[in-house]
Amino acid sequence: MSAFGVDFINNEYVLYAQSVDLASVAKQETSATPKSPPATISIGRGKTLMTAFDNLQKNSQIPLFLGFVSSLVVHERILQKGIISTHDILNRYGLIRYTKWVFGTREPIDKVLGNHSLSGFSPLTSLLHQPKDVYEQRSFIEPMQFYRFISNF
């Protein structure tokens, strides 16, 4: 799993996992036009975050390994509801690091996770996973890592 999304829709927590096939991430020399390696979006729903996470694991087409999560996308509805419960669930798994990037959005999270980088590049080279380069070029909102987000919170 490379990205994790959290939302609250119709009195249910909805979790999203973006999984990238790491074997397809490495650059391959071919004569054909390069294609972006696909990313799979898995969705889990539940009345609590824990049941949504269990449901996410059951629905995932790829076994979820939390050690590669490099970004967290949080919908505005979760921020309005309160981030404490989300932080508690994410802290239960030692593989999820505090160095991941944190993003807030009003857009549907499956759309955010489904937007891939330029054609021929890995989804892991997108703004979602490497925001510093775009920020340094031209931006006014500095990307934030989870440890800073939590300390500011």
Side-chain angles (χ1 to χ4, degrees):
M1 181 164 69
S2 55
F4 198 68
V6 185
D7 199 351
F8 191 75
I9 303 171
N10 298 328
N11 291 321
E12 271 190 323
Y13 288 95
V14 183
L15 300 181
Y16 301 84
Q18 179 193 63
S19 300
V20 176
D21 179 11
L22 295 179
S24 67
V25 170
K27 183 179 177 182
Q28 297 177 357
E29 301 293 330
T30 63
S31 59
T33 306
K35 294 181 182 177
S36 237
T40 303
I41 309 296
S42 301
I43 301 173
R45 298 176 185 274
K47 292 291 180 190
T48 67
L49 275 168
M50 199 63 225
T51 56
F53 189 78
D54 288 342
N55 189 263
L56 176 68
Q57 288 180 315
K58 291 175 191 172
N59 291 337
S60 179
Q61 297 177 19
I62 300 170
L64 298 179
F65 176 69
L66 302 174
F68 295 128
V69 173
S70 63
S71 59
L72 170 66
V73 181
V74 181
H75 198 279
E76 180 182 41
R77 290 182 285 263
I78 286 290
L79 294 173
Q80 291 169 345
K81 185 172 176 50
I83 196 79
I84 291 291
S85 58
T86 304
H87 178 261
D88 179 49
I89 291 296
L90 292 177
N91 258 358
R92 291 182 187 195
Y93 302 97
L95 291 173
I96 298 181
R97 296 178 176 86
Y98 275 94
T99 56
K100 66 186 156 295
W101 297 104
V102 179
F103 298 91
T105 186
R106 291 184 176 132
E107 296 293 319
I109 292 181
D110 55 343
K111 274 183 141 177
V112 173
L113 296 180
N115 280 340
H116 301 292
S117 59
L118 297 172
S119 180
F121 291 93
S122 162
L124 297 180
T125 61
S126 69
L127 177 65
L128 191 61
H129 299 282
Q130 296 181 11
K132 273 293 204 193
D133 293 338
V134 173
Y135 170 72
E136 289 172 357
Q137 184 177 7
R138 181 175 186 256
S139 186
F140 61 94
I141 300 175
E142 183 176 2
M144 184 178 291
Q145 288 182 293
F146 191 65
Y147 71 90
R148 256 189 46 215
F149 174 76
I150 290 302
S151 71
N152 288 343
F153 176 72

